[in-house]
Amino acid sequence: MKGTGSRSMLGLLLGSMLILTTSVTVYAHLTGAFADFLVTVQDEQTTEKLKTEIRSTKAEIESLVPRVNKLENDYKDKQQLAVSQLQFYNEVGLDTWMNLLLQSESLVDAMGSHWLFENHLQAYMKQLDLLYKDYMQLQSTKVALEGHQRLLTIIEDNMQMRNLFLSQNAQLPIDQVANYLDIDWQSEVEKHLIQALKHDTELTEQQVQTWATAAAENASYRLNESWLNAQSDVEYFFRSDHVYVVYKKKDIHVILIGQVLSGGNGYAQLQFEAGFFNGFLMPDTLMIELSGFRIRHDLLEQLPGMKGPVDLRQSGGALIVTSEAR
């Protein structure tokens, strides 16, 4: 990020040198991006999508908080009951039932006692299974809430970078400010971000079967964001409405917003619809350079249990893969 004083002069010098020494093709690209950046700097309405995402994320957090609290209270109540029953079986339950079996005077009594014992154990195991499902629902809801809270912080940070940038360059003409944005993008972001996205595309195309993990309930498989984040130089946030890609380093903050859409070429691809660089809407001349990851449908169809065409949908924290077989 460029400031005033000597850093501003350095930016002016760098900008002049770029214009004087680059080829005609690069010069045209720089001028186009510069002109588009100038529009985003002047127009405050370009931040409206970010503000909308902040409002939407806050609303989702507000709806999830009471759900998490209720699920947590319900789980704790059931957990306490399960613990009490477990202590009973551990301390006296098993000995009591064994004595009943040993003291039975007839085969009918023994079979009855055995049936009663099995019936109690089956009821308890069913209760534990329901408790586990409650726990998983609680955990998934908590993960969704935490993801929303992290995303909200990131979007707000991106907005704050805009305010900081403008305040540090408040005395400069608007075209100078836009030029700094363009120089920062080319020197500190463009090459690194394109390379990171290319790396992730190669990863998802070649290792999607490793990425996929079997899921419970009605889902066949999950492609968790955590797997991708552990191997990427950017951070992904999967939600039901959008996928957010975040690239951060000192004084640099980029958010790309898109969706995973299936095309007619045998792939599903993350397609970006908007991007923000330090809170400024990225122009089309920059967005067309950025391609999201791709997933081959044929490799998903080869996963155990899958049959026929696959369906890929977004959800909180993962992409959900289903097929006609489920």
Side-chain angles (χ1 to χ4, degrees), residues 169-181:
N169 297 281
Q171 306 304 317
L172 298 178
I174 200 70
D175 58 339
Q176 183 77 43
V177 174
N179 197 29
Y180 282 162
L181 282 171

Side-chain angles (χ1 to χ4, degrees), residues 53-69 141-153 156 239:
E53 293 303 318
I54 288 175
R55 290 192 294 268
S56 172
T57 305
K58 283 183 176 178
E60 289 169 340
I61 290 173
E62 290 173 357
S63 68
L64 281 173
V65 167
R67 284 179 55 193
V68 168
N69 291 338
T141 309
K142 276 187 172 181
V143 168
L145 177 59
E146 291 166 357
H148 288 323
Q149 290 170 331
R150 283 187 8 254
L151 179 60
L152 177 62
T153 300
E156 290 176 335
R239 287 170 52 186

Side-chain angles (χ1 to χ4, degrees), residues 76-252:
K76 286 180 179 179
D77 291 342
K78 294 176 181 178
Q79 183 187 41
Q80 187 57 46
L81 178 61
V83 169
S84 298
Q85 290 186 344
L86 180 60
Q87 289 176 337
F88 169 76
Y89 283 117
N90 187 51
E91 294 174 0
V92 298
L94 184 59
D95 290 341
T96 300
W97 288 116
M98 287 302 297
N99 287 333
L100 284 173
L101 289 173
L102 293 173
Q103 294 174 9
S104 298
E105 296 181 357
S106 67
L107 179 62
V108 174
D109 289 339
M111 291 179 63
S113 297
H114 181 71
W115 175 85
L116 192 59
F117 180 55
E118 281 192 341
N119 204 37
H120 271 267
L121 280 180
Q122 287 176 1
Y124 178 60
M125 294 303 295
K126 183 178 180 181
Q127 201 171 42
L128 286 179
D129 183 58
L130 292 174
L131 181 64
Y132 175 74
K133 290 179 179 178
D134 287 344
Y135 171 76
M136 293 304 297
Q137 184 181 11
L138 171 61
Q139 287 301 105
S140 64
T141 309
K142 276 187 172 181
V143 168
L145 177 59
E146 291 166 357
H148 288 323
Q149 290 170 331
R150 283 187 8 254
L151 179 60
L152 177 62
T153 300
I154 283 175
I155 296 175
E156 290 176 335
D157 287 346
N158 194 271
M159 292 282 288
Q160 290 173 4
M161 292 291 283
R162 176 189 176 97
N163 296 333
L164 178 62
F165 186 93
L166 292 175
S167 66
Q168 289 181 338
N169 297 281
Q171 306 304 317
L172 298 178
I174 200 70
D175 58 339
Q176 183 77 43
V177 174
N179 197 29
Y180 282 162
L181 282 171
D182 208 14
I183 293 171
D184 280 348
W185 174 266
Q186 289 200 6
S187 64
E188 301 185 43
V189 181
E190 188 173 34
K191 177 182 177 181
H192 306 290
L193 182 54
I194 290 174
Q195 184 59 41
L197 295 175
K198 181 181 178 181
H199 167 270
D200 293 349
T201 297
E202 294 173 352
L203 194 67
T204 57
E205 283 187 341
Q206 299 170 9
Q207 299 188 36
V208 66
Q209 292 180 325
T210 303
W211 186 7
T213 58
E217 305 299 332
N218 296 323
S220 296
Y221 288 90
R222 289 172 57 90
L223 305 177
N224 293 306
E225 66 183 27
S226 57
W227 182 87
L228 193 55
N229 287 337
Q231 304 177 75
S232 176
D233 288 334
V234 300
E235 185 174 11
Y236 292 87
F237 292 85
F238 292 164
R239 287 170 52 186
S240 59
D241 54 350
H242 288 109
V243 172
Y244 300 82
V245 180
V246 180
Y247 175 73
K248 294 190 302 180
K249 63 178 186 177
K250 181 176 173 57
D251 296 332
I252 296 297

